[in-house]
Amino acid sequence: MSAEEFVKRARSLSRAYRVTAGKKFRLADYDPADTGTLGSGDKPQAKKALRAGVKAMAQLQEMLYAQDRWSVLLVFQAMDAAGKDSAIKHVMSGVNPQGCQVFSFKAPSKEELDHDYLWRCLKRLPERGRIGIFNRSYYEEVLVVRVHPAILDGQELPPVLVTDRIWTERFEDIRNVERYLTRNGVVIRKFFLHVSKEEQQGRFLDRIDRPEKNWKFSAADIAERAHWDDYMRAYEEMIRHTATKEAPWYVVPADKKWFTRMVVASAIVDALGSLDLHFPTVDKAGRKELAKLRKELEAE
Ligand code: ATP
Ligand code: MG
């Protein structure tokens, strides 16, 4: 597949996983092991397509940068070992590092807790012309914080503001902020890498068995795994309330990494492709000026 072909097919490749209206969303309708119309025999073909996708992305990103009007925010959320890091690595492998910024959000620091929860993320938004990646994000505020009420207790909020409406309020605020950003030229795409509990178990075992992967494993990951069902409920609620037309969620099957990467690449290429990007052109007066400068340069 060529880069041009990939751009053409990007929409149909990723559309099945895109959620723009959450009301009817049910996580159970999405199979983590889904590989679309492809079977495991198509893996080499999918890898080739990914290369085309990466090339297409690089070309589009150059124009995004040159045009310096839009910025693109890609949000990644997932359970541990779902493949966030490797999806980011593979999908962004072809883009110019100057036009791309990646930030990871871990448990907040004391300084961060002294602010509203969006503060640390808003500081990291991509500038115009750039692609920004959030490896975890403010969505943790309706995921890990919801699954572990003790974290909410530690957030130093005025107690009267912590009511049973807090999640609905956070969803509303997030929707509003994302709409605000969209209206300012930030194109938002959100990815939930949907891995199954069985596949996560296999990947954890692999991380324990292979010395070079030990560093990726922590006992805390096992503790979170014990809350699997609570997390799935929290993810479903999150998508139901924050999937919008302007900032869609992609529920990406994550049991097969080669497929995950292809869907993510397609969604990004689709987003960039819809922006009508082009290299800025010079008007007549500008061209005249250039011709004059050329002559001077030549005459040196
Ligand atoms: P990852 O788990 O994303 O691959 P990592 O293992 O290098 O990265 P960790 O030290 O595990 O990093 O940090 C991520 C952890 O931080 C996750 O368990 C996540 O739930 C937690 N976290 C992120 N944001 C928040 C938040 N706002 N409040 C509490 N915990 C958070
Ligand atoms: Mg971790």
Side-chain angles (χ1 to χ4, degrees), residues 80 136 218 221:
D80 288 302
R136 302 187 188 269
S218 94
D221 296 350

Side-chain angles (χ1 to χ4, degrees), residues 80 84 105-108 120 135-136 140-141 144-145 151:
D80 288 302
K84 274 186 289 119
F105 296 97
K106 316 212 177 234
R120 65 175 183 161
N135 185 349
R136 302 187 188 269
E140 291 289 329
E141 294 293 332
V144 69
V145 180
I151 300 181

Side-chain angles (χ1 to χ4, degrees), residues 117-157:
Y117 67 82
L118 283 173
W119 181 73
R120 65 175 183 161
C121 296
L122 297 183
K123 279 199 301 188
R124 302 301 191 195
L125 286 172
E127 304 153 58
R128 293 190 200 286
R130 304 199 185 207
I131 299 177
I133 294 175
F134 282 1
N135 185 349
R136 302 187 188 269
S137 66
Y138 45 84
Y139 278 104
E140 291 289 329
E141 294 293 332
V142 293
L143 295 167
V144 69
V145 180
R146 191 170 190 180
V147 170
H148 299 285
I151 300 181
L152 185 62
D153 294 342
Q155 287 196 337
E156 303 173 20
L157 289 161

